[in-house]
Amino acid sequence: MSRPKLDLHLHLEGAAPPDLIRRIAAERHVDLSGIFDAEGRYRFDGFADFLRVYEAATGVLRSPEDFARLTRAVLEEQARHGVVYTEIFVSPDFCGGGDLPAWREYLGAIAEAAAAMEREAGITMRAIVTCIRHFGPERARRAARCAAETAGDFVVGFGMGGEERAGRARDFAYAFDMAREPGLGLTCHAGEWAGPGSVAEALDHLRVARIGHGVRAIEDPGLVERLVEDGIVLEVCPGSNVALGLYKWDRHPVEKLREGGVKFTVSTDDPPFFHTDMSREYERLEQVFGWDEAVFAKIAAIAVEAAFCDEATRTRLKERIGA
Ligand code: ADE
Ligand code: ZN
């Protein structure tokens, strides 16, 4: 579809085309055959196994140049689907293991690749530095330090992905405080595998403006009310939820959240893992819920307002989407 789109929830490694991972693995003589199916697609069974396969695939990416190649491939693919702006989760744990000088090198390579793709394909990328919940609070603080030290035009946010049911939100409050200090936008995965209580905990302890997924908020009407009142934006990734078996398309709560007045965006999460892309997400939403141009225009307008970018970029984006 040709309408300009914004994707605010995309994991850089999770967007890695399987062919690219196989090519780099072959160059490094790493055997990754166990993580692909007969058709060459990522193979996993459920969320925990998804995280295992994800980390195995990511393990072959070992240099800033690998991440530059990955960034170019991901942005090229996003641009093909009409994405004009994307915020991508980038993890210091996979880019130098949380070491600040190494992180600067990886980030420099990623930012350079993004700038080239902006010139070549007209897509703007910003980075959300991400810690990984099941790696624990100490590594989260190292990631937050990397985020705080490199905050600026390109690094605009800090977030947390990984196993939602690991630890308590308050264990990560210090990391989020470190990232809040230089003005980074904050988001946290919650309400996907853990229930609505995990969304409330992320709001209470991490004081985030956006929630990654958050769809299980629908199970608590009081929480839905709170999301509406506080203007919290959910980064909803319906295709990801369906692929991981959380919901069937026609039972996905995004329509009820919309009717309830909750602000949300639509994103792809880890497109090749979940056999999706932004065109497909939009097509499915149109088919299943009968969403029309006005609904998609509103989603784009919410995404522009919720983006963690600077105001000049936001103004440019508004012109681009006609908001
Ligand atoms: N990392 C990559 N994709 C993720 C997801 N959907 N949930 C949590 N962590 C992730
Ligand atoms: Zn995610």
Side-chain angles (χ1 to χ4, degrees):
M1 262 187 252
S2 59
R3 59 169 75 85
K5 306 174 186 76
L6 292 89
D7 189 346
L8 301 188
H9 185 122
L10 177 72
H11 300 261
L12 182 57
E13 312 83 17
D19 279 350
L20 178 68
I21 293 297
R22 265 193 301 274
R23 214 173 311 133
I24 297 178
E27 287 165 18
R28 304 270 146 67
H29 308 289
V30 178
D31 178 14
L32 275 186
S33 49
I35 69 165
F36 296 111
D37 66 15
E39 280 81 47
R41 302 176 307 183
Y42 295 115
R43 178 180 62 191
F44 52 88
D45 183 15
F47 183 64
D49 198 40
F50 157 73
L51 289 175
R52 180 188 66 79
V53 170
Y54 183 106
E55 283 165 26
T58 300
V60 306
L61 303 167
R62 292 183 189 161
S63 71
E65 177 49 27
D66 290 344
F67 275 84
R69 280 166 81 180
L70 172 60
T71 303
R72 283 193 294 271
V74 169
L75 292 177
E76 203 171 280
E77 182 65 8
Q78 288 276 80
R80 250 177 19 90
H81 293 284
V83 176
V84 297
Y85 176 83
T86 182
E87 288 182 1
I88 303 192
F89 295 120
V90 185
S91 170
D93 283 288
F94 300 136
C95 297
D99 174 71
L100 184 58
W103 165 247
R104 286 189 196 280
E105 282 185 35
Y106 279 86
L107 185 67
I110 292 167
E112 204 174 295
M117 287 312 296
E118 181 151 23
R119 288 192 299 274
E120 287 169 32
I123 178 169
T124 301
M125 169 188 167
R126 295 290 183 264
I128 299 179
V129 176
T130 303
C131 64
I132 295 163
R133 190 166 180 142
H134 57 273
F135 290 176
E138 171 55 36
R139 285 172 73 177
R141 284 195 288 274
R142 284 168 70 88
R145 176 159 178 260
C146 289
E149 292 290 335
T150 54
D153 288 345
F154 187 64
V155 170
V156 295
F158 180 72
M160 178 157 69
E163 174 51 78
E164 265 177 30
R165 295 159 291 197
R168 306 302 303 260
R170 74 169 70 89
D171 303 336
F172 300 92
Y174 191 82
F176 277 76
D177 287 345
M178 287 171 73
R180 186 180 300 101
E181 181 73 19
L184 290 167
L186 302 178
T187 178
C188 177
H189 284 60
E192 179 193 19
W193 297 102
S198 67
V199 175
E201 285 191 15
L203 296 176
D204 290 341
H205 298 289
L206 309 181
R207 292 155 52 209
V208 293
R210 299 187 343 212
I211 296 281
H213 298 285
V215 282
R216 289 191 58 195
I218 200 68
E219 296 167 28
D220 178 350
L223 178 61
V224 170
E225 219 167 280
R226 177 179 182 187
L227 296 177
V228 175
E229 265 171 29
D230 293 353
I232 303 297
V233 174
L234 305 186
E235 302 152 6
V236 177
C237 310
S240 160
N241 298 155
V242 172
L244 285 171
L246 195 57
Y247 301 107
K248 299 259 193 291
W249 265 103
D250 58 352
R251 300 273 177 88
H252 195 283
V254 69
E255 177 66 341
K256 285 211 174 76
L257 290 164
R258 189 179 75 82
E259 288 165 0
V262 175
K263 286 188 184 172
F264 66 90
T265 65
V266 171
S267 284
T268 52
D269 212 6
D270 308 283
F273 282 85
F274 304 141
H275 312 299
T276 189
D277 53 55
M278 280 299 266
S279 307
R280 263 190 228 193
E281 294 291 326
Y282 274 48
E283 276 159 21
R284 293 299 270 160
L285 290 164
E286 197 174 338
Q287 284 165 6
V288 177
F289 301 117
W291 291 2
D292 58 14
E293 197 51 51
V295 177
F296 289 114
K298 173 131 194 247
I299 291 169
I302 291 169
V304 170
E305 291 302 340
F308 292 148
C309 60
D310 59 87
E311 292 312 309
T313 305
R314 196 185 320 282
T315 303
R316 258 202 334 270
L317 285 172
K318 278 186 186 167
E319 282 167 14
R320 197 137 179 221
I321 66 161

